Amino acid sequence: MSLPKDDAAVLSARWTEGVLLKRDVFSTVERGRFRADAGEVDAVLRRLDQVPWWSYLPARHLFGREARALALARDLDVGPKLLWAGKQALVRGFINGVALQMAKPHGDAAYFRSAKQALRRMHRAGICHNDLAKEQNWLRGTDGRAYVTDFQLAACFKSRSKLFRIAAYEDLRHLLKHKRSYAPEALTPAERKILARKSAVASVWLMTGKKVYRAITRGLFNFTDREGGGRRLVNDAPVLLELIRKNPEVGDVAIVAFADRRTGVGLYAFVEADQPALEVQLRSELTAAKGPKPPEHIQVVQALPRDAAGKPRTEILQLVAMNQLDLIEPMITSDADRAFLKSILESRKNLRDRFNFEAGDLAQSPSQNVITREGG
């Protein structure tokens, strides 16, 4: 399948390819640069020309829902602005920030206040998102504010009908579930009551519709979207972790997923060990085990970045694997972290899809820009 001529002409003239963010049976999403009327800007492109023929109709439906919602939300400042929409491709603005599961805003009551305000603006405009249970659909901008992304399941209402009120209530309830995870002390008594009471539609959905949805998406479409990692992250990564840990030279290992232009979803293993040459041995052992396909990239590091509890900071490793290196900077909390990550970035493996970046720039002060973009 190829893009319609009009879509292809616009993208050829105005789009500069950058980093592939995601590819599944419903769309291909990449980050790059778009030449808008006011000048070139960071942007995100969703396109349908690379989806399988058998998933095109639902993909086209989801695409239409997103285009309508983004057009309606254009001036609300709650998510990415719609910059251009064609028949099988659309370009939305890029929000400088990271997903909720990466930002982990523990105790950040201000973030959740801004999230609630964003929901109010959306709902006043008649937009219900319908997919806010996913942490990856909530972003924390570098300005500290909450933004919403991925409007493929959004619904636009012309009146405050009963269905609208139910959908809006569920949007709010899902936001409050995230607030309970990261800032439970900031929950008000009224918010706790909302958390304790699902709508009747949500209860029925959990018992019936959600099971059908999972059967179709995971069975028929072979689609799993745990933090954008797909089935390989869900099914293959745990097996590969155990196989790698069997090597006595390995101290610890973390596996994350990244979008790959050739294979769709790739796996990237960061292995904690003292021997840089261990990569070849591990790849041989994984191949001999005849288990899941070995990770596309295996990087041996002296130590994994860890949080205060001692767990590997997979949110940072995820950004390294995806070459979203400019988004790492706000997540570095000390000079020790900066020096530590510099060695990981200098020897990273996934270099096909990337913005231009010098790992040495990571030694600069946090206020300095650490990235120059291809095509910029």
Side-chain angles (χ1 to χ4, degrees):
M1 187 185 301
S2 59
L3 286 173
K5 289 183 179 180
D6 290 346
D7 288 10
V10 170
L11 293 179
S12 176
R14 303 173 70 180
W15 176 255
T16 301
E17 186 179 274
V19 177
L20 183 66
L21 300 179
K22 183 178 179 181
R23 173 181 288 167
D24 57 37
V25 297
F26 297 120
S27 66
T28 298
V29 183
E30 63 182 68
R31 178 182 168 187
R33 301 279 287 175
F34 185 74
R35 196 168 73 246
D37 295 339
E40 196 171 65
V41 295
D42 289 334
V44 175
L45 165 68
R46 187 187 300 278
R47 56 196 303 164
L48 304 184
D49 56 316
Q50 297 173 2
V51 303
W53 64 268
W54 45 266
S55 65
Y56 178 75
L57 287 179
R60 186 69 184 82
H61 174 72
L62 296 174
F63 175 88
R65 293 181 76 136
E66 180 175 37
R68 286 191 294 274
L70 286 176
L72 191 57
R74 189 191 305 268
D75 298 320
L76 299 181
D77 196 24
V78 298
K81 289 191 175 183
L82 182 65
L83 301 177
W84 169 81
K87 294 179 180 178
Q88 292 185 20
L90 63 80
V91 179
R92 62 181 190 256
F94 175 76
I95 296 175
N96 194 8
V98 296
L100 188 62
Q101 78 272 12
M102 295 183 180
K104 300 184 186 299
H106 290 289
D108 190 350
Y111 171 83
F112 289 100
R113 282 197 299 271
S114 74
K116 200 169 182 180
Q117 291 166 0
L119 269 191
R120 287 197 188 102
R121 289 197 292 273
M122 285 173 51
H123 292 162
R124 285 171 183 164
I127 306 167
C128 292
H129 189 281
N130 294 325
D131 201 20
L132 294 180
K134 293 181 180 177
E135 291 193 24
Q136 60 263 38
N137 289 345
W138 285 101
L139 304 180
R140 186 181 188 277
T142 53
D143 58 5
R145 292 174 52 199
Y147 296 92
V148 176
T149 189
D150 196 350
F151 285 76
Q152 290 186 96
L153 294 179
C156 300
F157 295 84
K158 294 182 179 179
S159 66
R160 299 180 70 84
S161 63
K162 184 175 182 179
L163 183 58
F164 165 83
R165 293 195 301 271
I166 291 172
Y169 180 86
E170 288 303 309
D171 275 354
L172 175 59
R173 193 173 64 84
H174 287 307
L175 166 61
L176 296 179
K177 289 172 68 175
H178 300 314
K179 185 176 180 179
R180 182 175 59 189
S181 296
Y182 293 105
E185 68 285 348
L187 286 168
T188 67
E191 290 172 342
R192 293 184 185 278
K193 288 182 180 179
I194 292 173
L195 281 169
R197 188 177 67 249
K198 293 186 180 73
S199 68
V201 172
S203 298
V204 172
W205 165 255
L206 289 172
M207 291 186 291
T208 57
K210 191 168 185 177
K211 294 179 181 179
V212 175
Y213 170 80
R214 284 179 172 174
I216 293 174
T217 56
R218 298 185 183 185
L220 180 61
F221 289 150
N222 194 33
F223 173 74
T224 302
D225 188 31
R226 191 186 78 184
E227 298 178 6
R231 296 184 70 86
R232 289 192 69 196
L233 186 63
V234 173
N235 299 330
D236 294 357
V239 179
L240 293 169
L241 282 169
E242 293 305 312
L243 290 172
I244 292 173
R245 284 174 176 147
K246 288 181 179 179
N247 188 299
E249 301 295 329
V250 173
D252 200 359
V253 59
I255 296 180
V256 297
F258 67 97
D260 185 87
R261 293 190 185 276
R262 296 183 299 183
T263 63
V265 175
L267 294 181
Y268 196 129
F270 293 88
V271 179
E272 194 173 72
D274 293 327
Q275 297 184 23
L278 188 62
E279 175 191 341
V280 176
Q281 180 183 341
L282 288 174
R283 194 168 292 282
S284 177
E285 291 172 355
L286 293 175
T287 302
K290 297 183 179 179
K293 177 184 175 183
E296 278 69 16
H297 302 297
I298 299 175
Q299 181 175 346
V300 178
V301 298
Q302 288 189 338
L304 294 171
R306 298 182 183 275
D307 60 20
K311 295 181 180 179
R313 294 191 66 184
T314 53
E315 71 277 10
I316 288 182
L317 298 177
Q318 175 84 66
L319 294 174
V320 174
M322 295 176 66
N323 278 305
Q324 295 273 63
L325 303 181
D326 56 326
L327 300 183
I328 295 176
E329 177 67 19
M331 303 171 70
I332 297 175
T333 58
S334 69
D335 290 339
D337 285 347
R338 189 178 306 281
F340 179 76
L341 282 166
K342 181 175 179 291
S343 62
I344 293 180
L345 295 176
E346 285 177 336
S347 57
R348 72 192 191 278
K349 303 289 184 178
N350 182 21
L351 298 177
R352 289 197 309 273
D353 249 352
R354 70 187 191 278
F355 291 119
N356 289 327
F357 178 85
E358 295 297 334
D361 289 344
L362 198 63
Q364 297 175 4
S365 69
S367 62
Q368 290 179 278
N369 185 23
V370 297
I371 185 168
T372 56
R373 298 170 176 85
E374 289 181 359

